[in-house]
């Protein structure tokens, strides 16, 4: 069977009708979001790219259960195809697998293993990589948007966190050598080449984070409350926000509206190879996440400041949901020797047979 490269063709994820005991090899990458944080849940704009690190699932479609082992974590998980409550499955990583099973309800089970080199809890979407790779391994037969939507719902089932679609679509739809502007309202994607002389570095702040138990839901609810006053934030202009009386809601909305504009400007800077301009937007984005959206922490702020003061570093900001995790920096090549050099990698793929 051919290699199905989901990063290239829109409908490439369609997997032929499966026979029992089919050998499968699937991969889905983690992602870096250059800018556009906390905009996906109000249907705004983001600028993600896949990284070369990801989750690989290998095994056979067979039986009536999904039996998976992980090379990083001891133990095997054994999930019935009619699993009812993914959030109750152990260990934690298996909840995401159970979420995928509950979302897809495949007719045939799976026996195999998964391997991940995406750092967990770092804001690089290890969980989205897991759900996308497993959904492909189980035979998801929709287009990229449907694949990402199923995996978003699987993650919501697993964690109870009402996450947006950024991580899953970034993993499913990325293109090697490119970042892309993702319009979370239409799910339209505009790929933008990342020039070789712009290095993207991801550095862990040292503070672990998970979205479950964080104020993610509260922030999302605050954005919805702001939309109750001014309508969709994706369409709002900065001056519209004066109509919001509550100063906290107004700040939350100001982050979203200004961040959507920063995504447009950052895509232009990338196209122009303007590293200084791109960096300034990341710096501004961090200040907005820190002061208006209030999802940074003193540890993350200190990491941002420390890296920003180094020569050849043009901009640094908190990445992902916040409350810890990683920061992303844009630098001259070789300027930083810590963290991970995030090379824009291909989107998810599956090989069957
Ligand atoms: C997490 C969520 C995403 C997105 C980011 C913030 O990564 O899973 O949907 O909301 O936070 O941009």
């Amino acid at each position: 069977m051919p290699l199905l490269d989901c990063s290239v063709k829109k409908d490439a994820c369609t997997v032929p009708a499966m026979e029992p005991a089919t050998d499968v090899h699937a991969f889905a990458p983690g992602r870096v979001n250059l800018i556009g944080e906390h905009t996906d849940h109000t249907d705004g704009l983001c600028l993600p790219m896949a990284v070369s690190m990801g989750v690989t699932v290998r095994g056979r479609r067979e039986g009536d259960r999904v039996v998976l082992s992980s090379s990083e974590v001891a133990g095997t998980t054994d999930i019935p195809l009619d699993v009812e409550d993914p959030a109750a499955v152990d260990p934690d990583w298996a909840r995401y697998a159970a979420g995928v099973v509950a979302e897809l309800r495949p007719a045939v089970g799976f026996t195999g293993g998964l391997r991940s080199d995406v750092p967990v809890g770092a804001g690089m979407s290890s969980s989205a990589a897991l759900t996308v790779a497993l959904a492909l391994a189980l035979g998801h037969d929709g287009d990229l948007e449907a694949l990402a939507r199923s995996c978003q719902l699987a993650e919501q089932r697993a964690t109870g966190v009402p996450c947006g679609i950024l991580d899953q679509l970034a993993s499913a739809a990325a293109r090697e050598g490119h970042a892309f502007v993702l319009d979370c309202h239409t799910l339209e994607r505009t790929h933008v080449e990342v020039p070789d002389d712009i290095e993207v570095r991801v550095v862990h702040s040292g503070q672990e984070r998970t979205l479950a138990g964080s104020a993610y839901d509260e922030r999302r609810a605050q954005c919805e409350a702001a939309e109750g006053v001014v309508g969709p934030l994706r369409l709002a202009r900065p001056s519209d926000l004066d109509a919001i009386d509550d100063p906290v809601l107004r700040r939350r909305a100001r982050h979203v509206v200004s961040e959507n504009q920063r995504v447009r400007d950052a895509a232009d800077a990338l196209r122009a190879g303007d590293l200084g301009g791109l960096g300034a937007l990341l710096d501004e984005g961090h200040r907005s996440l820190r002061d208006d959206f209030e999802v940074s922490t003193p540890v993350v702020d200190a990491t941002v400041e420390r890296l920003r003061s180094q020569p050849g570093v043009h901009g640094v900001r908190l990445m992902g949901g916040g409350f810890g995790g990683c920061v992303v920096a844009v630098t001259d090549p070789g300027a930083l020797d810590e963290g991970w050099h995030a090379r824009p990698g291909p989107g998810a793929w599956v090989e069957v047979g």
Side-chain angles (χ1 to χ4, degrees):
M1 299 291 283
L3 180 72
L4 300 181
D5 181 351
C6 298
S7 63
V8 180
K9 288 194 226 110
K10 185 163 177 286
D11 296 319
C13 284
T14 303
V15 173
M18 58 179 103
E19 299 291 324
T22 305
D23 286 322
V24 182
H25 179 194
F27 170 81
R31 66 101 184 95
V32 159
N33 190 23
L34 288 173
I35 198 156
E37 220 64 89
H38 282 283
T39 48
D40 63 347
H41 45 76
T42 44
D43 283 355
L45 305 176
C46 314
L47 187 61
M49 62 182 218
V51 295
S52 48
M53 297 170 276
V55 171
T56 304
V57 177
R58 270 178 197 273
R60 314 196 86 197
R61 290 185 192 144
E62 62 184 10
D64 59 0
R65 308 182 72 83
V66 173
V67 182
L68 278 176
S69 57
S70 154
S71 55
E72 283 75 42
V73 190
T76 297
T77 189
D78 184 344
I79 303 162
L81 296 184
D82 60 356
V83 59
E84 278 196 357
D85 184 6
V89 170
D90 272 328
D92 281 5
W93 65 266
R95 287 182 196 162
Y96 296 96
V100 174
V101 174
E103 205 45 53
L104 301 191
R105 295 288 178 217
V108 179
F110 186 85
T111 308
L114 61 89
R115 191 165 47 77
S116 173
D117 59 0
V118 189
V120 175
M124 289 168 82
S125 300
S126 52
S127 53
L130 191 162
T131 56
V132 173
L134 183 60
L136 289 175
L138 294 181
H140 188 280
D141 63 357
D143 60 20
L144 294 175
E145 292 85 356
L147 172 66
R149 190 66 79 194
S150 300
C151 292
Q152 176 194 12
L153 296 174
E155 178 145 354
Q156 291 182 354
R157 282 178 186 260
T159 62
V161 176
C163 62
I165 200 168
L166 160 66
D167 306 342
Q168 296 78 13
L169 202 52
S171 180
R175 186 179 288 177
E176 189 157 19
H178 293 71
F180 63 92
V181 179
L182 167 61
D183 179 330
C184 297
H185 183 60
T186 59
L187 300 188
E188 205 182 320
R189 303 171 297 279
T190 309
H191 293 269
V192 184
E193 202 171 338
V194 180
D196 286 344
D197 55 358
I198 294 183
E199 184 165 315
V200 180
R201 278 259 154 195
V202 175
V203 177
H204 204 295
S205 65
Q207 185 175 12
E208 293 300 327
R209 74 106 182 78
T210 64
L211 288 186
S214 76
Y216 186 93
D217 314 28
E218 187 196 58
R219 292 297 182 280
R220 195 173 167 149
Q222 288 168 331
C223 291
E224 278 164 22
E227 292 196 314
V229 182
V230 294
L233 289 177
R234 71 190 161 80
L235 302 176
R237 288 160 306 175
S239 58
D240 297 337
L241 307 182
D242 296 343
I244 304 175
D245 290 335
D246 182 319
V248 173
L249 294 191
R250 198 164 56 237
R251 285 208 308 277
R252 303 296 187 251
R254 187 167 61 191
H255 165 72
V256 174
V257 171
S258 62
E259 187 80 345
N260 283 332
Q261 186 55 45
R262 280 188 289 274
V263 171
R264 294 186 195 96
D265 295 344
D268 288 343
L270 211 51
R271 283 187 197 99
D274 176 7
L275 181 49
L278 180 64
L281 289 160
L282 263 68
D283 290 342
E284 220 180 89
H286 184 72
R287 287 193 290 273
S288 180
L289 286 165
R290 184 191 62 195
D291 302 336
D292 279 351
F293 217 67
E294 294 183 279
V295 290
S296 191
T297 67
V299 173
V300 172
D301 292 341
T303 309
V304 166
E305 276 158 36
R306 181 175 66 73
L307 296 175
R308 186 65 183 88
S309 65
Q310 301 197 29
V313 175
H314 294 267
V316 190
R317 65 171 201 86
L318 158 71
M319 188 178 69
F323 312 104
C326 278
V327 304
V328 58
V330 290
T331 77
D332 291 331
L336 286 178
D337 61 2
E338 60 184 296
W340 299 271
H341 179 180
R343 293 185 173 81
W349 51 261
V350 61
E351 195 179 24
V352 183

